[in-house]
Structure formats: C-alpha cells, structure tokens
Amino acid sequence: MKGLDMALKEKAIAEKQAKRSQLLWSACQPLILSIQSSSNLESWEDQLEPLENEVAAIAKTSDEEDPLIGAVLASIPEEAKTRGVFSELALKNRFLNVEKVAFRLANLPEGFVSIPRMFLSYLQSFLLINLSKTIPPEELANEPFDVTALTNYDVLFRARYWLDRGDLLQALRYMNLLKGAARAIADEWMNETRILLETKLAADVLLLHAVYSNLIYLQDSS
C-alpha cells in the first residue's frame, strides 16, 4: 500500500507541475506578442504599452517550488513593466536617424566644440559616406580582433551591417564601442535596445522553461 500511495503522490505532483507549466506557457504568450508587436503610429512613444499586466499574469503561475520564474521576472527592466518596450521595427527605424547624425559627428568629442571643427566633421562624413567597406572574414567569424583600431565610422558601418541582418544584439555590441559625440547621440537608442533585448530574453527563458517542464512530465508519464 505504501508503494501505491507513493506512486499516486508522485503522479499528483507531476500532474500539478504539468498544469503549472501549461499555465506558464499560456501566460507567456501575451508578453511575447506585446514585445513583437509593431504599430503604424507615427510617434514611437505612442507605441509604448506597459507590460505590468503581462508580467503579473506570469507571476501568478509561480510558487516556492519553482523560484526560477520569480528570478527571471525580476530581471525584466522596470521601464519595460511600467512604460513598455519599443518594437524591433521601431528601433531599426530609430537607428537610421541615429546613424545619420552620429556619422556626421563621428570625429567630434563629447561636449562643446568649435564651429570650424564641427564643419570639418560634417565635411569628412560626406566624403566617406559613399565609400564601400568590407568586414574582415575573421571578424565576421567572431574571432578576436583589436576593437580599439575601429573608428566611429567603422563601428557605425558594422552596426548597420548586423542590423540589416536582423541581429539587434550584435548591432548593440558594436554601438557600445562608439566614442565622443557619436556615442552621446546613440546613448538613448542603446538604452532602449538593451531594454527590449533583456525583456525578450526573459520571455524566451520563461517560455523554454514551460516547454521543458512539460516535456519532463510527458517523458515521466510515458
């Protein structure tokens, strides 16, 4: 009888975990859709919708037996919860404006600069804008290279290269190498991109956790 009681108890626990994983999977869907959604509204700010409700719905599926959910939810930036995140499409569109201004200011330090120096930076940007560039194969293969040798122009070219290929994370990594006035111009874009990527990562981890937990139940019950 003890063996039967133990088996029934283990089955009940497994079914409870499976139900919780299914609830978690369902609760993750609105969050993922909110992150992926884009709007045709002209103002980027009008696209923002707080994610508090989506996060709260996921939190309800958590308990003391599964601390991972709470830990992942805590990693979501506060701005995403209270204000929302810009979609990837919105950030790509914003990048084009940031790129244009940062390219013109690429040779300027942060802070006040003289008008002649600003004019020279603008002039150089126009001379370089149509030059064809390539990225060394070793760099594309993610092999070590000297990032200090990259100019702001190089950084912007590489960031655009990866953005055009849908790799927002790699674009952000390169943008973090900007210096001077170009970095000051790009700071807000980089921060918004970080918020989106951190929120998206949290959603992906939660979804994978739900799927993995359900797979364990299916394997144990087969």
Side-chain angles (χ1 to χ4, degrees):
M1 290 296 293
K2 288 184 178 180
L4 179 59
D5 290 341
M6 182 65 69
L8 291 174
K9 185 177 181 180
E10 290 177 352
K11 182 179 180 181
I13 293 174
E15 289 177 346
K16 179 182 177 182
Q17 291 175 340
K19 183 178 180 180
R20 187 170 64 238
S21 67
Q22 291 167 2
L23 290 173
L24 174 60
W25 186 90
S26 298
C28 286
Q29 300 309 308
L31 177 61
I32 293 173
L33 288 174
S34 296
I35 295 171
Q36 294 176 342
S37 65
S38 59
S39 171
N40 292 324
L41 295 173
E42 291 185 6
S43 171
W44 291 316
E45 284 71 19
D46 289 341
Q47 299 180 19
L48 295 172
E49 292 288 344
L51 301 177
E52 289 175 318
N53 292 336
E54 289 84 349
V55 172
I58 295 174
K60 290 179 180 178
T61 68
S62 178
D63 58 29
E64 295 180 356
E65 298 176 5
D66 192 354
L68 176 64
I69 297 176
V72 174
L73 290 178
S75 72
I76 296 177
E78 194 62 29
E79 298 96 328
K81 300 174 187 176
T82 59
R83 187 209 62 184
V85 297
F86 289 104
S87 68
E88 188 167 332
L89 178 60
L91 288 171
K92 286 181 177 179
N93 289 335
R94 289 185 68 173
F95 177 88
L96 300 179
N97 292 333
V98 170
E99 177 192 34
K100 184 184 298 183
V101 178
F103 198 85
R104 292 174 180 173
L105 305 180
N107 271 337
L108 298 179
E110 188 173 356
F112 176 79
V113 293
S114 64
I115 293 179
R117 187 170 182 181
M118 184 177 294
F119 175 77
L120 287 175
S121 180
Y122 269 57
L123 180 61
Q124 185 170 5
S125 71
F126 284 118
L127 294 175
L128 293 174
I129 198 167
N130 291 321
L131 290 180
S132 60
K133 293 186 178 182
T134 58
I135 302 176
E138 299 80 11
E139 187 178 337
L140 290 174
N142 207 26
E143 296 180 9
F145 69 99
D146 184 11
V147 296
T148 62
L150 298 178
T151 67
N152 279 344
Y153 299 114
D154 296 328
V155 169
L156 290 168
F157 171 76
R158 284 157 171 77
R160 177 65 179 272
Y161 173 90
W162 288 110
L163 192 78
D164 288 344
R165 286 154 181 78
D167 195 333
L168 203 58
L169 176 58
Q170 193 72 337
L172 177 61
R173 286 171 175 165
Y174 274 104
M175 291 294 278
N176 269 307
L177 299 176
L178 287 174
K179 299 178 285 291
R183 183 179 181 88
I185 291 297
D187 265 343
E188 184 178 352
W189 182 88
M190 290 190 291
N191 185 55
E192 295 297 346
T193 302
R194 176 190 60 80
I195 292 172
L196 171 65
L197 291 175
E198 289 181 1
T199 306
K200 187 176 184 300
L201 176 61
D204 290 342
V205 169
L206 290 168
L207 189 62
L208 285 173
H209 179 54
V211 172
Y212 179 72
S213 298
N214 199 46
L215 284 175
I216 291 178
Y217 167 73
L218 293 175
Q219 289 176 352
D220 291 342
S221 60
S222 60

PDB file of all heavy atoms in Angstrom, residues 163-186:
ATOM      1  N   LEU A 163      22.439  45.085 -38.143  1.00  0.00           N
ATOM      2  CA  LEU A 163      21.031  45.470 -38.037  1.00  0.00           C
ATOM      3  C   LEU A 163      20.265  45.048 -39.286  1.00  0.00           C
ATOM      4  O   LEU A 163      19.137  44.543 -39.198  1.00  0.00           O
ATOM      5  CB  LEU A 163      20.920  46.979 -37.838  1.00  0.00           C
ATOM      6  CG  LEU A 163      19.541  47.482 -37.417  1.00  0.00           C
ATOM      7  CD1 LEU A 163      19.317  47.232 -35.933  1.00  0.00           C
ATOM      8  CD2 LEU A 163      19.391  48.967 -37.709  1.00  0.00           C
ATOM      9  N   ASP A 164      20.877  45.237 -40.450  1.00  0.00           N
ATOM     10  CA  ASP A 164      20.238  44.845 -41.709  1.00  0.00           C
ATOM     11  C   ASP A 164      20.021  43.338 -41.789  1.00  0.00           C
ATOM     12  O   ASP A 164      19.188  42.869 -42.571  1.00  0.00           O
ATOM     13  CB  ASP A 164      21.086  45.298 -42.902  1.00  0.00           C
ATOM     14  CG  ASP A 164      21.041  46.802 -43.108  1.00  0.00           C
ATOM     15  OD1 ASP A 164      20.141  47.453 -42.542  1.00  0.00           O
ATOM     16  OD2 ASP A 164      21.916  47.333 -43.826  1.00  0.00           O
ATOM     17  N   ARG A 165      20.766  42.590 -40.988  1.00  0.00           N
ATOM     18  CA  ARG A 165      20.639  41.132 -40.985  1.00  0.00           C
ATOM     19  C   ARG A 165      19.832  40.626 -39.795  1.00  0.00           C
ATOM     20  O   ARG A 165      19.826  39.434 -39.491  1.00  0.00           O
ATOM     21  CB  ARG A 165      22.042  40.500 -41.015  1.00  0.00           C
ATOM     22  CG  ARG A 165      22.673  40.618 -42.398  1.00  0.00           C
ATOM     23  CD  ARG A 165      24.179  40.608 -42.370  1.00  0.00           C
ATOM     24  NE  ARG A 165      24.713  40.746 -43.734  1.00  0.00           N
ATOM     25  CZ  ARG A 165      24.772  41.905 -44.388  1.00  0.00           C
ATOM     26  NH1 ARG A 165      24.349  43.014 -43.809  1.00  0.00           N
ATOM     27  NH2 ARG A 165      25.250  41.961 -45.623  1.00  0.00           N
ATOM     28  N   GLY A 166      19.167  41.543 -39.118  1.00  0.00           N
ATOM     29  CA  GLY A 166      18.256  41.172 -38.047  1.00  0.00           C
ATOM     30  C   GLY A 166      18.905  40.838 -36.723  1.00  0.00           C
ATOM     31  O   GLY A 166      18.243  40.305 -35.828  1.00  0.00           O
ATOM     32  N   ASP A 167      20.197  41.146 -36.579  1.00  0.00           N
ATOM     33  CA  ASP A 167      20.899  40.826 -35.332  1.00  0.00           C
ATOM     34  C   ASP A 167      21.041  42.101 -34.502  1.00  0.00           C
ATOM     35  O   ASP A 167      22.058  42.792 -34.545  1.00  0.00           O
ATOM     36  CB  ASP A 167      22.271  40.227 -35.640  1.00  0.00           C
ATOM     37  CG  ASP A 167      22.895  39.548 -34.424  1.00  0.00           C
ATOM     38  OD1 ASP A 167      22.561  39.950 -33.290  1.00  0.00           O
ATOM     39  OD2 ASP A 167      23.707  38.624 -34.608  1.00  0.00           O
ATOM     40  N   LEU A 168      20.009  42.379 -33.721  1.00  0.00           N
ATOM     41  CA  LEU A 168      19.986  43.603 -32.920  1.00  0.00           C
ATOM     42  C   LEU A 168      21.036  43.569 -31.811  1.00  0.00           C
ATOM     43  O   LEU A 168      21.627  44.598 -31.468  1.00  0.00           O
ATOM     44  CB  LEU A 168      18.591  43.780 -32.317  1.00  0.00           C
ATOM     45  CG  LEU A 168      18.160  45.188 -31.910  1.00  0.00           C
ATOM     46  CD1 LEU A 168      18.222  46.138 -33.096  1.00  0.00           C
ATOM     47  CD2 LEU A 168      16.755  45.163 -31.328  1.00  0.00           C
ATOM     48  N   LEU A 169      21.279  42.387 -31.259  1.00  0.00           N
ATOM     49  CA  LEU A 169      22.262  42.264 -30.183  1.00  0.00           C
ATOM     50  C   LEU A 169      23.667  42.590 -30.674  1.00  0.00           C
ATOM     51  O   LEU A 169      24.411  43.328 -30.013  1.00  0.00           O
ATOM     52  CB  LEU A 169      22.224  40.848 -29.604  1.00  0.00           C
ATOM     53  CG  LEU A 169      23.267  40.536 -28.520  1.00  0.00           C
ATOM     54  CD1 LEU A 169      23.129  41.494 -27.344  1.00  0.00           C
ATOM     55  CD2 LEU A 169      23.143  39.085 -28.061  1.00  0.00           C
ATOM     56  N   GLN A 170      24.036  42.052 -31.826  1.00  0.00           N
ATOM     57  CA  GLN A 170      25.369  42.321 -32.364  1.00  0.00           C
ATOM     58  C   GLN A 170      25.512  43.794 -32.742  1.00  0.00           C
ATOM     59  O   GLN A 170      26.582  44.391 -32.559  1.00  0.00           O
ATOM     60  CB  GLN A 170      25.625  41.430 -33.585  1.00  0.00           C
ATOM     61  CG  GLN A 170      27.070  41.385 -34.034  1.00  0.00           C
ATOM     62  CD  GLN A 170      27.972  40.598 -33.111  1.00  0.00           C
ATOM     63  OE1 GLN A 170      27.684  40.422 -31.942  1.00  0.00           O
ATOM     64  NE2 GLN A 170      29.085  40.124 -33.631  1.00  0.00           N
ATOM     65  N   ALA A 171      24.436  44.381 -33.248  1.00  0.00           N
ATOM     66  CA  ALA A 171      24.465  45.812 -33.568  1.00  0.00           C
ATOM     67  C   ALA A 171      24.700  46.631 -32.302  1.00  0.00           C
ATOM     68  O   ALA A 171      25.481  47.588 -32.304  1.00  0.00           O
ATOM     69  CB  ALA A 171      23.153  46.224 -34.230  1.00  0.00           C
ATOM     70  N   LEU A 172      24.044  46.248 -31.216  1.00  0.00           N
ATOM     71  CA  LEU A 172      24.221  46.956 -29.950  1.00  0.00           C
ATOM     72  C   LEU A 172      25.647  46.814 -29.432  1.00  0.00           C
ATOM     73  O   LEU A 172      26.226  47.769 -28.902  1.00  0.00           O
ATOM     74  CB  LEU A 172      23.225  46.424 -28.914  1.00  0.00           C
ATOM     75  CG  LEU A 172      23.327  47.016 -27.510  1.00  0.00           C
ATOM     76  CD1 LEU A 172      23.081  48.521 -27.533  1.00  0.00           C
ATOM     77  CD2 LEU A 172      22.339  46.330 -26.567  1.00  0.00           C
ATOM     78  N   ARG A 173      26.220  45.635 -29.573  1.00  0.00           N
ATOM     79  CA  ARG A 173      27.599  45.420 -29.119  1.00  0.00           C
ATOM     80  C   ARG A 173      28.560  46.374 -29.824  1.00  0.00           C
ATOM     81  O   ARG A 173      29.465  46.937 -29.201  1.00  0.00           O
ATOM     82  CB  ARG A 173      28.006  43.971 -29.386  1.00  0.00           C
ATOM     83  CG  ARG A 173      27.379  42.964 -28.430  1.00  0.00           C
ATOM     84  CD  ARG A 173      27.656  41.552 -28.878  1.00  0.00           C
ATOM     85  NE  ARG A 173      27.177  40.566 -27.915  1.00  0.00           N
ATOM     86  CZ  ARG A 173      27.038  39.276 -28.175  1.00  0.00           C
ATOM     87  NH1 ARG A 173      27.351  38.819 -29.388  1.00  0.00           N
ATOM     88  NH2 ARG A 173      26.594  38.448 -27.252  1.00  0.00           N
ATOM     89  N   TYR A 174      28.360  46.551 -31.112  1.00  0.00           N
ATOM     90  CA  TYR A 174      29.231  47.472 -31.844  1.00  0.00           C
ATOM     91  C   TYR A 174      28.950  48.920 -31.457  1.00  0.00           C
ATOM     92  O   TYR A 174      29.884  49.712 -31.291  1.00  0.00           O
ATOM     93  CB  TYR A 174      29.070  47.277 -33.350  1.00  0.00           C
ATOM     94  CG  TYR A 174      29.949  46.181 -33.902  1.00  0.00           C
ATOM     95  CD1 TYR A 174      29.428  44.939 -34.232  1.00  0.00           C
ATOM     96  CD2 TYR A 174      31.315  46.387 -34.075  1.00  0.00           C
ATOM     97  CE1 TYR A 174      30.239  43.925 -34.730  1.00  0.00           C
ATOM     98  CE2 TYR A 174      32.133  45.384 -34.568  1.00  0.00           C
ATOM     99  CZ  TYR A 174      31.594  44.154 -34.889  1.00  0.00           C
ATOM    100  OH  TYR A 174      32.410  43.155 -35.369  1.00  0.00           O
ATOM    101  N   MET A 175      27.691  49.273 -31.300  1.00  0.00           N
ATOM    102  CA  MET A 175      27.357  50.656 -30.944  1.00  0.00           C
ATOM    103  C   MET A 175      27.965  51.045 -29.601  1.00  0.00           C
ATOM    104  O   MET A 175      28.271  52.212 -29.359  1.00  0.00           O
ATOM    105  CB  MET A 175      25.843  50.840 -30.917  1.00  0.00           C
ATOM    106  CG  MET A 175      25.187  50.762 -32.281  1.00  0.00           C
ATOM    107  SD  MET A 175      25.652  52.124 -33.384  1.00  0.00           S
ATOM    108  CE  MET A 175      24.542  53.409 -32.805  1.00  0.00           C
ATOM    109  N   ASN A 176      28.155  50.080 -28.732  1.00  0.00           N
ATOM    110  CA  ASN A 176      28.781  50.348 -27.436  1.00  0.00           C
ATOM    111  C   ASN A 176      30.244  50.751 -27.572  1.00  0.00           C
ATOM    112  O   ASN A 176      30.851  51.211 -26.597  1.00  0.00           O
ATOM    113  CB  ASN A 176      28.671  49.120 -26.529  1.00  0.00           C
ATOM    114  CG  ASN A 176      27.413  49.148 -25.685  1.00  0.00           C
ATOM    115  OD1 ASN A 176      27.146  50.121 -24.983  1.00  0.00           O
ATOM    116  ND2 ASN A 176      26.628  48.086 -25.756  1.00  0.00           N
ATOM    117  N   LEU A 177      30.815  50.573 -28.758  1.00  0.00           N
ATOM    118  CA  LEU A 177      32.209  50.955 -28.992  1.00  0.00           C
ATOM    119  C   LEU A 177      32.344  52.412 -29.430  1.00  0.00           C
ATOM    120  O   LEU A 177      33.460  52.917 -29.555  1.00  0.00           O
ATOM    121  CB  LEU A 177      32.831  50.049 -30.066  1.00  0.00           C
ATOM    122  CG  LEU A 177      32.896  48.549 -29.748  1.00  0.00           C
ATOM    123  CD1 LEU A 177      33.439  47.789 -30.954  1.00  0.00           C
ATOM    124  CD2 LEU A 177      33.757  48.288 -28.521  1.00  0.00           C
ATOM    125  N   LEU A 178      31.228  53.078 -29.671  1.00  0.00           N
ATOM    126  CA  LEU A 178      31.284  54.476 -30.097  1.00  0.00           C
ATOM    127  C   LEU A 178      31.909  55.353 -29.020  1.00  0.00           C
ATOM    128  O   LEU A 178      31.795  55.073 -27.826  1.00  0.00           O
ATOM    129  CB  LEU A 178      29.877  54.990 -30.416  1.00  0.00           C
ATOM    130  CG  LEU A 178      29.221  54.489 -31.706  1.00  0.00           C
ATOM    131  CD1 LEU A 178      27.788  54.974 -31.779  1.00  0.00           C
ATOM    132  CD2 LEU A 178      30.007  54.939 -32.933  1.00  0.00           C
ATOM    133  N   LYS A 179      32.519  56.424 -29.476  1.00  0.00           N
ATOM    134  CA  LYS A 179      33.157  57.371 -28.553  1.00  0.00           C
ATOM    135  C   LYS A 179      32.732  58.797 -28.907  1.00  0.00           C
ATOM    136  O   LYS A 179      32.267  59.061 -30.016  1.00  0.00           O
ATOM    137  CB  LYS A 179      34.686  57.241 -28.639  1.00  0.00           C
ATOM    138  CG  LYS A 179      35.215  55.867 -28.257  1.00  0.00           C
ATOM    139  CD  LYS A 179      36.713  55.771 -28.414  1.00  0.00           C
ATOM    140  CE  LYS A 179      37.137  55.654 -29.863  1.00  0.00           C
ATOM    141  NZ  LYS A 179      36.768  54.377 -30.482  1.00  0.00           N
ATOM    142  N   GLY A 180      32.910  59.698 -27.950  1.00  0.00           N
ATOM    143  CA  GLY A 180      32.686  61.116 -28.198  1.00  0.00           C
ATOM    144  C   GLY A 180      31.235  61.481 -28.453  1.00  0.00           C
ATOM    145  O   GLY A 180      30.306  60.890 -27.899  1.00  0.00           O
ATOM    146  N   ALA A 181      31.047  62.457 -29.339  1.00  0.00           N
ATOM    147  CA  ALA A 181      29.709  62.971 -29.620  1.00  0.00           C
ATOM    148  C   ALA A 181      28.812  61.908 -30.242  1.00  0.00           C
ATOM    149  O   ALA A 181      27.602  61.888 -30.001  1.00  0.00           O
ATOM    150  CB  ALA A 181      29.813  64.180 -30.554  1.00  0.00           C
ATOM    151  N   ALA A 182      29.394  61.014 -31.030  1.00  0.00           N
ATOM    152  CA  ALA A 182      28.603  59.959 -31.672  1.00  0.00           C
ATOM    153  C   ALA A 182      27.962  59.051 -30.624  1.00  0.00           C
ATOM    154  O   ALA A 182      26.808  58.637 -30.762  1.00  0.00           O
ATOM    155  CB  ALA A 182      29.482  59.140 -32.612  1.00  0.00           C
ATOM    156  N   ARG A 183      28.711  58.756 -29.571  1.00  0.00           N
ATOM    157  CA  ARG A 183      28.152  57.914 -28.509  1.00  0.00           C
ATOM    158  C   ARG A 183      27.030  58.642 -27.769  1.00  0.00           C
ATOM    159  O   ARG A 183      26.012  58.035 -27.412  1.00  0.00           O
ATOM    160  CB  ARG A 183      29.235  57.491 -27.527  1.00  0.00           C
ATOM    161  CG  ARG A 183      28.694  56.549 -26.452  1.00  0.00           C
ATOM    162  CD  ARG A 183      29.743  56.089 -25.475  1.00  0.00           C
ATOM    163  NE  ARG A 183      29.141  55.176 -24.518  1.00  0.00           N
ATOM    164  CZ  ARG A 183      29.029  53.867 -24.693  1.00  0.00           C
ATOM    165  NH1 ARG A 183      29.476  53.315 -25.798  1.00  0.00           N
ATOM    166  NH2 ARG A 183      28.459  53.108 -23.778  1.00  0.00           N
ATOM    167  N   ALA A 184      27.229  59.928 -27.521  1.00  0.00           N
ATOM    168  CA  ALA A 184      26.195  60.703 -26.833  1.00  0.00           C
ATOM    169  C   ALA A 184      24.890  60.688 -27.624  1.00  0.00           C
ATOM    170  O   ALA A 184      23.802  60.582 -27.054  1.00  0.00           O
ATOM    171  CB  ALA A 184      26.674  62.134 -26.610  1.00  0.00           C
ATOM    172  N   ILE A 185      25.013  60.771 -28.943  1.00  0.00           N
ATOM    173  CA  ILE A 185      23.827  60.736 -29.803  1.00  0.00           C
ATOM    174  C   ILE A 185      23.152  59.367 -29.737  1.00  0.00           C
ATOM    175  O   ILE A 185      21.927  59.257 -29.768  1.00  0.00           O
ATOM    176  CB  ILE A 185      24.221  61.058 -31.263  1.00  0.00           C
ATOM    177  CG1 ILE A 185      24.644  62.525 -31.393  1.00  0.00           C
ATOM    178  CG2 ILE A 185      23.078  60.749 -32.220  1.00  0.00           C
ATOM    179  CD1 ILE A 185      23.542  63.515 -31.078  1.00  0.00           C
ATOM    180  N   ALA A 186      23.949  58.310 -29.626  1.00  0.00           N
ATOM    181  CA  ALA A 186      23.426  56.942 -29.687  1.00  0.00           C
ATOM    182  C   ALA A 186      22.994  56.393 -28.332  1.00  0.00           C
ATOM    183  O   ALA A 186      22.387  55.321 -28.277  1.00  0.00           O
ATOM    184  CB  ALA A 186      24.483  56.016 -30.293  1.00  0.00           C
TER     185      ALA A 186
END
